[in-house]
Amino acid sequence: LLTELVGVKQDLRDVLKHANYNEQYSRRSYVRIFGLKENPEENCVTEVINMVQTNMTITLTPADIQAAHRVGRLPPETPQNEDHTSDDGTDAADGANADGTQRETRRKPCRPVIVRFSRRDDKFRVISNVRKLKQTGYAIVEDLTKKNVELLNRVKKHRSVQSAWATNGKIKAKSHYGKIVIVNLFDNLDDLFA
């Protein structure tokens, strides 16, 4: 019975690996962009093209992007005084308190944009230039499955790992000794970096 249970457990792991691989494969033309300000009347394709042109000097056309849209829940609305007047009757919409000091305003977090490129070559061109986004407030990452995001985070926290990243849907890690390995879903990290 124990042998049968071990066999079923291994079969389940194999099924989960294949399902994760297939889901990741279906995302090979996608990236996620963080830091694009939200606008109610925005056209995400145009916003992405402008951001990439301005910050990465890569020219894209609308035909290069098959789809682009926000993902995630809308952030909750910040409560505001409906009539925009303060207790003393002055207009409070200018961002100032009744005593004239500047009122602290909460910045709305912006949801990431998921982008599907028409050709993977365009995706690779963008991904290979993400270093140009340092200090800009933008970030572009590969669109990973939930399991691969969890794996990447687990690998980054491991004591033997200097750095970890994703390339073409594969999780890679570099040890403190310079050894680079590809990490799979159920790999034992201690054994990989031993």
Side-chain angles (χ1 to χ4, degrees):
L1 188 64
L2 186 59
T3 308
E4 190 176 319
L5 184 61
V6 170
V8 170
K9 189 175 181 180
Q10 184 59 44
D11 289 346
L12 178 60
R13 282 183 167 198
D14 290 343
V15 168
L16 288 173
K17 276 186 196 177
H18 287 295
N20 185 60
Y21 173 81
N22 288 337
E23 184 181 349
Q24 188 62 60
Y25 186 80
S26 71
R27 297 175 182 218
R28 67 190 185 277
S29 297
Y30 292 79
V31 296
R32 287 185 185 243
I33 301 177
F34 296 87
L36 279 176
K37 304 283 185 268
E38 264 187 84
N39 178 352
E41 281 103 46
E42 73 186 353
N43 177 336
C44 287
V45 171
T46 305
E47 295 291 326
V48 168
I49 290 170
N50 291 339
M51 187 279 293
V52 168
Q53 173 65 42
T54 304
N55 295 287
M56 302 173 87
T57 61
I58 295 173
T59 303
L60 295 173
T61 66
D64 296 328
I65 296 176
Q66 196 167 12
H69 59 86
R70 298 273 176 186
V71 291
R73 292 183 178 176
L74 282 169
E77 292 295 321
T78 52
Q80 294 181 353
N81 187 354
E82 287 299 317
D83 63 0
H84 300 289
T85 56
S86 62
D87 292 337
D88 65 356
T90 59
D91 188 9
D94 63 356
N97 291 321
D99 64 359
T101 60
Q102 191 65 26
R103 183 174 47 241
E104 187 177 321
T105 56
R106 270 196 261 165
R107 197 170 145 209
K108 266 187 171 179
C110 47
R111 297 175 296 156
V113 174
I114 189 164
V115 179
R116 181 177 185 183
F117 288 94
S118 300
R119 293 180 308 277
R120 283 198 320 261
D121 289 347
D122 292 325
K123 175 205 167 186
F124 293 136
R125 206 163 33 116
V126 169
I127 285 289
S128 65
N129 283 285
V130 294
R131 66 188 172 281
K132 293 179 180 179
L133 295 178
K134 283 191 176 190
Q135 309 295 326
T136 65
Y138 298 112
I140 298 178
V141 297
E142 288 198 37
D143 184 35
L144 298 176
T145 65
K146 183 178 179 183
K147 293 257 184 233
N148 281 345
V149 169
E150 292 168 356
L151 176 62
L152 181 59
N153 290 333
R154 185 170 58 100
V155 170
K156 283 181 176 180
K157 293 176 184 173
H158 193 271
R159 65 183 175 279
S160 299
V161 173
Q162 178 182 349
S163 61
W165 63 95
T167 304
N168 295 329
K170 292 180 174 48
I171 308 302
K172 296 184 179 181
K174 181 178 182 180
S175 73
H176 294 291
Y177 306 108
K179 180 181 177 183
I180 296 176
V181 296
I182 294 175
V183 184
N184 292 308
L185 204 52
F186 295 106
D187 285 348
N188 183 324
L189 297 180
D190 291 328
D191 291 346
L192 274 178
F193 295 107

